[in-house]
Amino acid sequence: MSAPLRVIDSGLRGARRNLSVTEALARGARAGTTPDTLRFQHFPPSAIIGRHQILAREVDLDWVGRNGVATARRMTGGGAIVMGPGILGWELVVARRLLPVGLGEIARTICAGAATGLSTLGVAAAFRPRNDIEVDGRKIGGTGGYFDGDHLVFQGTALVALDRRLLVNALRLPAHKLGRHGVETLAQRITDLASLLGSPPSMTAVQAALAAGVAGALGMAARPSGLSSDEEAAADAIHDAEIGNDAFVTGQDDRFGQEGVTLAGRHAAPGGLIEVALKLRDGAAEIIDQAMIAGDFFAARPRVIADLEAHLRHLPVAAAADAARRFLAENDAGFLGL
């Protein structure tokens, strides 16, 4: 008999409220009071940063202030993202014993399940290592996860009708270092269900597709339900004590300068120009948080550049060149004129 997977739509909540529910579910799972759960969440326009990031480095505070975009900080690590009405958030809180071994294989299993579910809507969605979901080489959703004791907390997004203005302006992206060319290239690497299908599907349909795909990939049986009163109370307490406070969201900014580190370079070859920007993770070690590659090149496989960007994430800068060479060689990536 398949293990049950509680499926919840917690409705539209502010970003800090949504993040407080995530933390409440994680703590409940540790305490044995929260069952295996898949939660769907809806946000107003929001810019959300990771636990150890510096708000002013990741977010254009002037722009978000002028445009009524909320800011929030997760209890966990990871990079900055935007959320909004056209972006569906989803998260799994499940027992580790139900999953494959290793976070990489877990990401592959869950993302492949999510892609299978989205494909039932009429798009050819697929998993893209390390942790993205794509359609024809263009990102349609991202994921990330971590182990919390004997449980996994795994979060994802599905781009239903993306507000590209929010994405481009709210966050300080590596693409900005490359000017208009980089921003235009970034836009070409991302798509949404509305663009692919001609009109946005209902959130209800997207949620049903994802629930079926993820539950099926895990060999579980989806069971619609809701948050318990204890979980709601725990989320309220976490919000009031930590996540909902301005001091929690801006706390890191007082300890560091506001200028982030982005390395940028360009190379003019006979066949065209290559430009690269690497946004580094905050901290002493030079670790790549995001990579952006643009240029006047023609690749043998159109998606190879996006795959290379994903491959470079989380690597030390010193290892990037050798890693890129190996990746291109192993993937038989040919470029005309470069």
Side-chain angles (χ1 to χ4, degrees), residues 58 171-179 182-183 186 262-264 276-280 289-293:
E58 306 299 329
L171 302 183
R172 299 186 185 278
L173 301 169
H176 294 160
K177 198 76 172 182
L178 305 182
V183 172
L186 173 67
T262 301
L263 306 179
V276 178
L278 303 178
K279 188 170 184 294
L280 304 190
D289 188 54
Q290 299 177 53
M292 179 71 195
I293 304 171

Side-chain angles (χ1 to χ4, degrees), residues 26 74 102 140 259 303:
R74 297 188 300 275
I140 198 169
E259 292 300 321
R303 57 170 283 173

Side-chain angles (χ1 to χ4, degrees), residues 57-305:
R57 289 187 184 177
E58 306 299 329
V59 176
D60 186 332
L61 295 177
D62 290 338
W63 191 90
V64 300
R66 292 195 309 271
N67 290 274
V69 177
T71 59
R73 180 188 297 277
R74 297 188 300 275
M75 293 291 280
T76 57
I81 63 171
V82 295
M83 296 297 293
I87 305 174
L88 176 64
W90 56 274
E91 66 186 9
L92 276 166
V93 181
V94 294
R96 194 168 181 169
R97 59 181 171 75
L98 299 172
L99 304 167
V101 176
L103 193 55
E105 189 57 35
I106 288 171
R108 178 181 298 277
T109 298
I110 296 174
C111 289
T116 297
L118 292 175
S119 294
T120 65
L121 300 173
V123 299
F127 166 60
R128 179 173 74 197
R130 305 172 185 246
N131 56 348
D132 289 337
I133 301 168
E134 65 166 26
V135 176
D136 294 330
R138 302 173 71 187
K139 181 176 177 178
I140 198 169
T143 66
Y146 62 96
F147 292 121
D148 188 355
D150 293 331
H151 287 78
L152 172 78
V153 180
F154 194 88
Q155 298 171 307
T157 57
L159 305 183
V160 180
L162 177 64
D163 181 350
R164 287 169 172 78
R165 178 173 168 269
L166 174 65
L167 172 65
V168 169
N169 291 289
L171 302 183
R172 299 186 185 278
L173 301 169
H176 294 160
K177 198 76 172 182
L178 305 182
R180 190 182 69 178
H181 190 184
V183 172
E184 290 174 349
T185 301
L186 173 67
Q188 294 167 1
R189 305 269 172 84
I190 299 172
T191 190
D192 56 25
L193 290 171
S195 300
L196 294 166
L197 299 174
S199 62
S202 70
M203 285 293 184
T204 300
V206 179
Q207 289 176 194
L210 283 169
V214 172
L218 297 177
M220 304 179 75
R223 298 284 187 267
S225 186
L227 293 170
S228 70
S229 58
D230 286 345
E231 289 168 336
E232 291 279 17
D236 287 343
I238 292 167
H239 176 273
D240 294 344
E242 296 177 280
I243 292 179
N245 296 331
D246 288 342
F248 177 79
V249 179
T250 63
Q252 298 275 32
D253 292 33
D254 296 335
R255 299 194 299 117
F256 297 92
Q258 294 189 359
E259 292 300 321
V261 178
T262 301
L263 306 179
R266 60 181 57 196
H267 174 68
L273 183 69
I274 302 173
E275 298 179 279
V276 178
L278 303 178
K279 188 170 184 294
L280 304 190
R281 185 179 301 167
D282 293 321
E286 290 194 325
I287 304 296
I288 298 171
D289 188 54
Q290 299 177 53
M292 179 71 195
I293 304 171
D296 305 320
F297 42 68
F298 179 84
R301 292 190 303 111
R303 57 170 283 173
V304 72
I305 298 301

